[in-house]
């Protein structure tokens, strides 16, 4: 039986033991997720403090112990430690509230006020007070329904303690609903990936959030590695440290400001599920892959099944792929393994065939085309998944005006598969400090564009007119400058 960690602190524990009349704040902001034509979900987490702790505060003390020898193991980035137990404590005299970026969970109640943004005279629609769940890091999902399609709404989210009557905190924001599939509308969207807390490049967190916000996208897709459990001086070797990493990241000012006013979709990848190249059944310390799946849904409102498609008007449809949950090898590593799994692949093929959108964008946490580093064995651009990868590329290439956009890689590229002609755009890491992984500076024949050593993001824009529509694809640097552009 695995020995469980001992804790001098625990966010969930403090939430459940705190006096019921304790105030509840919104230090980690909100997320506006899974928008539809008539609905949207507001992710909320209540906290014991109104603002996160300073990022120059002390860190929790973590140790990995070999249960056989009782010797301490020195952890390294990009590793999992399945056979070691976790020990976690705080520095002497330090409170959890003072730990670097901490925003401990606190049970409370939340509600939302909303109305059409262009009707400032209208009365606010107010949802009932809803309790946050201490077993899920004091999070709650407020589901708004019966909304008008293709509209902008103003929003105010409020929180209070469980026994409170007065509002303890409020956070303004706004969201867009999805237009009808027949609407001849222009749409702009952004895609990003790979943000590590230690590689911040802005006093408020990350510059790309301010850069994306200036574009006023209708929605953004975070393709995964939203946090890094297995990187930095604190490794997430149990549930509490995993949740701490989410709170610390999304408590940053640039993220709080962005996610309160832009719709978002989240995909998970390896580092925000468990560790580098993680697969089902694995574990690290006292954190399992299953724990990572649960916590990701808890922190993002990820629906089930996690693969889904969204239609944004007449001209654009996007597909959001799941790259971790369905990894299962038939007959062991000697036979061809799978990444997406048969059910997801069948769903993708059928939904692509059923779509009459003019432009199709398939968004994936890891590459389908590549190229990738020769040492890797984690995605469809690697030899390990060559059989299924060839099948996927051939299937996608049959559809006109389809482009793949991938996260995961820490460099930007546009490449074309020489066998199928399938095109893929890599969005790049969230900061220059986190860029890397590809040392070649000369593009290969399959590259139409290659940019290494710098971070950035992707944007797509549907420009609609009565005669049809154009799709403009762009790669940006972290400041928002366009470094490459193509128009369909």
């Amino acid at each position: 039986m695995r020995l469980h960690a001992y804790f001098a602190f625990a966010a969930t524990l403090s939430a459940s033991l705190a006096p019921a009349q304790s105030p509840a704040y919104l230090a980690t902001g909100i997320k506006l997720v899974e928008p539809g034509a008539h609905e949207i979900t507001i992710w909320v987490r209540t906290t014991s403090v109104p603002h996160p702790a300073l990022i120059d505060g002390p860190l929790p003390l973590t140790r990995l112990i070999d249960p056989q020898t009782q010797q301490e193991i020195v952890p390294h980035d990009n590793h999992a430690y399945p056979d070691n137990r976790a020990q976690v404590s705080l520095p002497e005299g330090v409170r959890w509230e003072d730990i670097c970026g901490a925003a401990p969970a606190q049970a409370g109640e939340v509600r939302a006020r909303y109305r059409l943004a262009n009707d400032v005279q209208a009365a606010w629609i107010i949802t009932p007070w809803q309790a946050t769940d201490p077993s899920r890091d004091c999070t709650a999902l407020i589901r708004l329904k019966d909304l008008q399609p293709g509209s902008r709404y103003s929003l105010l989210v409020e929180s209070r303690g469980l026994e409170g009557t007065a509002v303890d905190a409020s956070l303004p924001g706004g969201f867009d609903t999805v237009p009808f599939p027949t609407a001849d509308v222009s749409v702009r969207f952004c895609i990003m990936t790979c943000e590590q807390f230690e590689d911040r490049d802005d006093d408020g967190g990350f510059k790309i959030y301010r850069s994306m916000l200036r574009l006023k996208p209708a929605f953004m897709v975070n393709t995964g590695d939203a946090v890094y459990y297995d990187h930095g001086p604190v490794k997430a070797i149990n549930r509490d440290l995993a949740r701490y990493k989410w709170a610390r990241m999304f408590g940053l000012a640039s993220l709080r400001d962005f996610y309160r006013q832009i719709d978002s979709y989240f995909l998970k990848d390896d580092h925000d599920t468990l560790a580098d190249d993680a697969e089902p059944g694995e574990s690290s310390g006292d954190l399992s892959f299953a724990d990572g799946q649960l916590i990701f849904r808890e922190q993002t409102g990820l629906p089930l099944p996690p693969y889904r498609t969204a239609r944004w008007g007449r001209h654009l449809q996007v597909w959001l792929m799941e790259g971790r949950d369905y990894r299962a090898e038939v007959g062991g590593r000697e036979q061809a393994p799978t990444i997406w799994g048969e059910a997801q692949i069948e769903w993708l093929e059928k939904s692509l065939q059923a779509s009459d959108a003019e432009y199709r964008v398939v968004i994936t946490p890891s590459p389908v085309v590549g190229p990738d580093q020769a040492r890797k064995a984690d995605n469809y651009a690697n030899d390990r998944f060559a059989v299924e990868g060839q099948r996927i590329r051939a299937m996608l290439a049959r559809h006109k005006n389809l482009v793949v956009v991938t996260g995961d890689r820490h460099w930007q590229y546009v490449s074309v598969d020489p066998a199928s002609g399938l095109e893929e755009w890599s969005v790049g890491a969230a900061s220059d400090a986190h860029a890397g992984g590809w040392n070649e500076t000369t593009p290969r024949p399959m590259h139409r564009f290659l940019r290494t050593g710098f971070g950035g993001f992707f944007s797509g824009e549907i420009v609609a007119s009565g005669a049809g529509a154009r799709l403009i694809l762009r790669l940006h640097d972290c400041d928002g400058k366009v470094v490459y552009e193509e128009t369909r």
Side-chain angles (χ1 to χ4, degrees), residues 108-439:
E109 294 181 327
V110 293
R111 70 179 180 185
R113 299 172 179 262
Y114 61 100
R115 65 185 177 192
L116 288 166
N118 61 5
D119 191 358
V120 296
Q121 302 301 320
W124 292 97
I125 303 171
I126 306 174
T127 66
W129 285 106
Q130 178 178 336
T132 59
D133 186 350
S135 71
R136 296 177 62 86
D137 200 27
C138 293
T139 60
L141 298 176
I142 305 174
R143 304 188 190 277
L144 308 185
K145 299 182 179 181
D146 300 322
L147 305 175
Q148 293 187 18
S151 302
R152 181 71 181 174
Y153 279 80
S154 296
L155 174 70
L156 185 70
V157 175
E158 298 174 321
S159 64
R160 69 182 186 186
L162 289 178
E163 298 298 326
T165 55
V167 171
D168 295 321
S170 61
L171 187 64
F175 60 87
D176 292 287
T177 52
V178 175
F180 277 138
T182 55
D184 184 23
V185 293
S186 299
V187 181
R188 182 182 285 122
F189 61 100
C190 295
I191 306 175
M192 63 158 292
T193 194
C194 297
E195 55 190 10
Q196 183 178 338
F197 185 83
E198 289 77 16
D199 288 336
R200 304 181 309 279
D201 59 1
D202 181 85
D203 288 341
F206 294 90
K207 293 190 293 186
I208 68 165
Y209 280 102
R210 305 194 194 283
S211 300
M212 290 189 295
L213 192 56
R214 286 194 296 270
L215 296 179
K216 298 180 180 179
F219 66 92
M220 185 274 279
V221 180
N222 187 319
T223 70
D225 295 341
V227 295
Y228 275 71
Y229 288 158
D230 58 337
H231 277 217
V234 177
K235 306 295 190 290
I237 48 180
N238 58 45
R239 288 190 180 193
D240 290 289
L241 289 177
R243 286 165 170 151
Y244 162 65
K245 288 212 168 193
W246 282 94
R248 183 178 66 170
M249 177 66 77
F250 286 84
L252 293 170
S254 62
L255 279 74
R256 291 201 313 269
D257 194 42
F258 182 89
Y259 285 104
R260 69 181 175 86
Q261 49 190 321
I262 302 297
D263 298 2
S264 57
Y265 301 94
F266 283 85
L267 310 179
K268 65 175 173 294
D269 203 15
D270 47 356
H271 297 284
D272 50 8
T273 304
L274 183 70
D276 189 45
D277 296 352
E279 296 181 341
E282 296 181 341
S283 62
S284 185
D286 292 323
L287 186 72
S288 69
F289 188 94
D291 292 333
Q293 292 172 299
L294 180 150
I295 292 171
F296 193 93
R297 292 195 301 271
E298 166 192 286
Q299 298 293 330
T300 65
L302 182 71
L304 291 175
Y307 53 86
R308 63 267 200 215
T309 184
R311 182 72 178 262
W312 282 80
R314 174 181 170 186
H315 307 289
L316 176 66
Q317 187 166 349
V318 300
W319 282 259
L320 305 163
M321 306 305 296
E322 167 56 48
R324 292 288 148 188
D325 290 357
Y326 305 107
R327 290 174 180 248
E329 298 184 0
V330 180
R333 292 185 181 272
E334 294 77 18
Q335 297 187 29
T338 183
I339 294 179
W340 287 351
E342 197 58 38
Q344 183 175 201
I345 294 171
E346 182 179 346
W347 162 83
L348 175 62
E349 188 166 24
K350 289 182 177 179
S351 58
L352 282 169
Q353 291 172 348
S355 173
D356 63 354
E358 191 168 355
Y359 298 101
R360 301 166 176 85
V361 180
V362 175
I363 306 171
T364 170
S366 59
V368 172
V369 174
D372 193 18
Q373 304 167 79
R375 68 176 182 84
K376 295 291 288 184
D378 187 53
N379 60 67
Y380 284 133
N382 304 143
D383 289 343
R384 179 185 171 200
F385 295 98
V387 174
E388 189 168 273
Q390 183 179 15
R391 173 191 173 191
I392 295 296
R393 288 187 290 272
M395 178 187 74
L396 295 177
R398 290 196 293 267
H399 296 276
K400 182 181 178 182
N401 290 340
L402 183 148
V403 63
V404 176
V405 181
T406 184
D408 190 48
R409 303 298 78 191
H410 294 202
W411 65 96
Q412 293 179 318
Y413 65 76
V414 180
S415 64
V416 178
D417 175 46
S420 65
L422 181 66
E423 177 183 320
E424 180 172 81
W425 292 59
S426 172
V427 308
S431 64
D432 292 348
H434 201 55
W438 189 268
N439 297 321

